[in-house]
Amino acid sequence: MKKLVGKVTEEEKDEIQMLFERRNGLNELAKVITSDNEALYEKIVKDMGETSTKFQNWWKRMSEHYQWEGSDKGNWEIDFQTNNIYLVLA
């Protein structure tokens, strides 16, 4: 089930979209990098951690700012076309 709970500005959407794309790109890169290249592997792991933290902090900051409805049994998602925020329940 998906329920509309809010909307963000274009600038806020751009911020989370950049983090979303970066996180996905790093995850794909991590699949092809072996631990043989230890320096690059460590850099990717560090960047993944930092990006994931920024991603989670964006959701926390926006949910507090806009007072979105939430649930322990669900998560929020954004529609990048409309900037709408949905609560998705499992």
Side-chain angles (χ1 to χ4, degrees):
M1 184 181 117
K2 213 158 127 167
K3 178 180 180 182
L4 179 66
V5 294
K7 189 171 187 130
V8 294
T9 67
E10 194 67 21
E11 294 78 21
E12 291 163 341
K13 186 264 306 208
D14 289 345
E15 181 183 357
I16 194 64
Q17 187 169 21
M18 185 272 304
L19 292 168
F20 176 80
E21 290 170 357
R22 181 173 185 85
R23 187 180 70 164
N24 287 348
L26 288 167
N27 284 334
E28 289 300 313
L29 189 56
K31 292 177 185 176
V32 297
I33 297 295
T34 64
S35 56
D36 294 344
N37 190 340
E38 191 173 330
L40 182 56
Y41 181 79
E42 290 300 321
K43 184 173 180 161
I44 290 170
V45 168
K46 181 177 185 259
D47 200 357
M48 286 173 67
E50 290 171 354
T51 301
S52 290
T53 297
K54 289 176 184 177
F55 187 83
Q56 292 302 323
N57 286 343
W58 184 93
W59 285 105
K60 183 175 191 251
R61 193 173 75 244
M62 293 298 118
S63 69
E64 289 172 355
H65 175 74
Y66 289 109
Q67 296 293 298
W68 296 328
E69 176 184 343
S71 172
D72 290 340
K73 297 178 182 174
N75 61 286
W76 295 298
E77 73 178 32
I78 184 169
D79 179 331
F80 290 119
Q81 300 299 314
T82 64
N83 299 6
N84 288 338
I85 304 297
Y86 296 93
L87 176 60
V88 181
L89 299 171

